[in-house]
Amino acid sequence: MAGRRATMSLMKRTPDELRGISEALLYELQMLFGTAQALREDVQGAKQGMMPWPQKMAFIESFAIHARVLEAFLWDKRRKSYPDDALAIDFFEVGEWEAIRERVQRSALDDLRDRAGHEVAHLSYKRVNKPEEARRWKFDVIASVIGKAFRLFLEYVAPELLCDSFEDRLRATWPGYQLADCDRFSAGLRHRAGDYGRLAEPPGHQPGRSGNIRGNAPAESALTRLTEVGRAGQSAVHQEQFASRRSLGSG
């Protein structure tokens, strides 16, 4: 009976289930970009270094947890031990999302899962005697990698599988400098593919099935509107990606 329950829970999710979980997915993205923006302002904004220490630590911890959740959503495989975890692969045909996400260089996230564990979720001895460099959280870098992967997710996902106004509500909390970075990433992919109109289809992709790309006549998507916002912010994006000067446990 237990084996049967596990098998049933691994079945493909219904459109209603996907729309429902997309509301929680949107929250995770809003929190990721919102906390990254707040920490960026504390490092190099007009009120640099003025955030109270407990508040900054709360932002760091929140950022780490939401980044960890989204990293798992985008890159994890289905596991029988966690059958109810929502994953990006749930929104696509078998193998489709894995082929799409290969375009994203994700090495900056290699230690994210472990750090979120022993620096936030567990009181671990791994916190002891860490050098200052290892304590830094590269907020912009992490948010950029997740943002690029999620841009591809929006490029290919069927919009009817997302909750109402998903992209519009995300746009309100996706900082312009991050959008500009994603825009350049997408433009680079199109250039390498020799197709300036849209990204090349991944292996096994079914034209017209994944909402925002519709054969040779792609409909304007909310992702396009996000891109326009990103372009508007490009003139202000000249600084390099930054690393937080403080981390958990540092005063």
Side-chain angles (χ1 to χ4, degrees):
M1 180 64 70
R4 182 183 177 187
R5 284 198 298 268
T7 300
M8 291 176 64
S9 61
L10 292 173
M11 293 174 62
K12 187 173 179 64
R13 298 292 179 174
T14 67
D16 284 345
E17 287 178 305
L18 296 176
R19 281 191 293 271
I21 201 63
S22 72
E23 188 76 47
L25 173 62
L26 175 62
Y27 167 77
E28 296 293 335
L29 288 160
Q30 290 172 323
M31 289 299 295
L32 177 83
F33 291 124
T35 53
Q37 174 72 3
L39 290 163
R40 180 188 179 94
E41 288 295 319
D42 184 65
V43 170
Q44 61 185 49
K47 297 182 178 181
Q48 180 178 345
M50 295 181 65
M51 185 184 295
W53 180 79
Q55 184 177 338
K56 181 170 183 176
M57 293 303 102
F59 273 113
I60 290 173
E61 293 180 3
S62 179
F63 175 87
I65 292 298
H66 292 295
R68 166 66 181 83
V69 169
L70 290 166
E71 186 265 344
F73 173 81
L74 291 164
W75 276 281
D76 269 8
K77 299 178 181 179
R78 175 66 56 208
R79 293 181 293 173
K80 289 185 178 181
S81 54
Y82 298 99
D84 293 319
D85 281 6
L87 304 174
I89 57 176
D90 298 339
F91 290 78
F92 297 89
E93 298 300 327
V94 175
E96 187 176 1
W97 173 243
E98 292 90 334
I100 294 169
R101 73 185 181 202
E102 285 182 359
R103 300 162 179 173
V104 180
Q105 171 55 256
R106 56 144 292 148
S107 59
L109 306 183
D110 285 348
D111 65 347
L112 171 61
R113 194 169 303 207
D114 285 342
R115 289 194 66 189
H118 65 249
E119 294 185 28
V120 183
H122 301 277
L123 185 58
S124 170
Y125 287 104
K126 290 183 178 181
R127 299 188 189 186
V128 179
N129 298 324
K130 290 190 69 173
E132 181 62 24
E133 180 63 28
R135 290 178 176 272
R136 294 173 180 165
W137 282 89
K138 298 179 180 179
F139 303 106
D140 267 1
V141 176
I142 293 170
S144 175
V145 173
I146 292 174
K148 288 172 183 176
F150 201 77
R151 180 190 172 94
L152 292 180
F153 178 88
L154 289 177
E155 189 97 12
Y156 287 99
V157 72
E160 61 268 20
L161 299 181
L162 301 176
C163 61
D164 292 342
S165 303
F166 185 100
E167 289 92 346
D168 289 337
R169 293 156 65 193
L170 175 58
R171 178 177 57 183
T173 51
W174 197 334
Y177 68 91
Q178 285 284 350
L179 281 169
D181 186 40
C182 290
D183 186 37
R184 290 189 294 271
F185 166 71
S186 179
L189 290 178
R190 289 192 175 93
H191 178 75
R192 288 193 293 274
D195 182 353
Y196 292 89
R198 58 185 175 131
L199 299 181
E201 306 290 5
H205 180 74
Q206 301 176 28
R209 189 198 66 80
S210 293
N212 294 334
I213 293 186
R214 302 182 185 280
N216 293 323
E220 179 184 7
S221 66
L223 182 61
T224 302
R225 298 196 297 275
L226 289 175
T227 299
E228 291 170 354
V229 174
R231 289 197 186 101
Q234 281 188 20
S235 60
V237 182
H238 297 294
Q239 60 269 44
E240 295 182 354
Q241 295 173 324
F242 75 98
S244 154
R245 296 172 303 168
R246 300 177 188 265
S247 66
L248 298 173
S250 60

